[in-house]
Amino acid sequence: MGEFRVIESGNMGRVAYARIAPNEDLVTGIEKLCLREGFDNAFVRGALGSLVDACLTNMDGNFTSIKGPAVEIVSLAGEVRTEDDGALVASLTGVVADPDGTIYGGAFVAGSNPICMTFEVTLEEWLPKI
Amino acid sequence: MNGASSYPGRPRTFKHPGRPNPVRIQSENSKKSRHVRLALQPGLSLFDAIVNSLAKINIENASLTILGGVFDNLDYCVAPPDPKKLSVIAYTKPIKAGKAYMVFGNATLGESMEGQPLVHCHAAIRTEDGEIKGGHILTQSCIIGSKAISALVTSLEGFKLVQSFDAETNIALLQPVRE
């Protein structure tokens, strides 16, 4: 599954919804949700919630920190894949709004996006044809 | 302070008013969900356009992706620290975006503590003044403009999203409950 195929055919499977609690990390929280629900691969179908602070990657390899609380998640797209070593990896990108409503966008850095009040996420399982 | 750095931010662990629930991920799954393309109708509030249309096909719990579209009126709020310290944050009073364009939104449909439909919606918007903003959308006072707005609905089957009091954060939150 680690090799990136140009076209991967498959089907959508189950749908999972979760509420993830404060101080859990957005990225690893979604990976742990997949562990709990037994999803090897999944797409984010919908997500909203708030972060204490947000941390996004820049194109130059640096990071942008957005101070809260709360930083609202207003858009989130992404997927979870099972790597060759068996590890689940969530790749998430999105748009957030700071406490003034100013928005920022980028990829969420694993371990640096603690949830503030709640995070609601809907995942759809992806079942590739092997 | 917001800004760029070569080191990702260390997460801050915030203390909430109540004792944390040891279960940090509350989840449920549906073996079969329905997907529906919904046209949110001109002149209706965003709340009514979602709730009333989906009620006709017996969808009371769902996750929605709202595609871009114009609103004749759009109100939102943001979530700064709670001045009364009852919770970590408190929503502000409504902020008027006027006749605004919703760039992209996500919404959850569930049930309020009073047993009524509840829509939780966050979105990025372009306000009447041309500013790009984001926040918590007040769906009952947001009026859809002259063109229908498309939404992709994923129904949640076999469990409900019910608003209930969360002791840790001291606010009412949507939580999944198996039927």
Side-chain angles (χ1 to χ4, degrees), chain B residues 135-165:
Chain B
H136 176 95
I137 304 299
L138 301 167
T139 59
Q140 286 174 315
S141 61
C142 294
I143 307 298
I144 294 158
S146 59
K147 271 184 77 175
I149 298 172
S150 297
L152 172 63
V153 181
T154 303
S155 74
L156 303 172
E157 314 278 350
F159 63 93
K160 293 168 72 169
L161 302 182
V162 181
Q163 186 189 38
S164 53
F165 178 73

Side-chain angles (χ1 to χ4, degrees), chain A residues 15 17-19 21-23 36-37 47-48 53 62-63 65 67-70 72-73 99 101 103-104 111-112 116 120 124, chain B residues 2-5 9 11-12 14 16 24 26-30 35 63 78-79 81 106 108 120 122 132-134 152 173:
Chain A
V15 169
Y17 170 95
R19 183 252 160 168
N23 296 313
R36 172 170 158 82
E37 294 297 342
L48 68 165
D53 308 299
N62 287 334
F63 306 93
S65 295
K67 187 142 191 234
E72 301 265 45
I73 296 166
I103 65 173
Y104 302 80
S112 297
C116 184
E120 296 180 52
E124 195 154 20
Chain B
N2 297 336
S5 70
R12 289 193 287 171
F14 254 62
H16 288 265
R24 309 308 289 162
Q26 297 165 266
S27 74
E28 293 290 349
N29 73 68
S30 306
H35 291 104
S63 176
V78 291
N106 266 150
T108 310
H120 186 197
H122 285 191
I132 305 295
K133 292 285 189 177
L152 172 63
L173 298 165

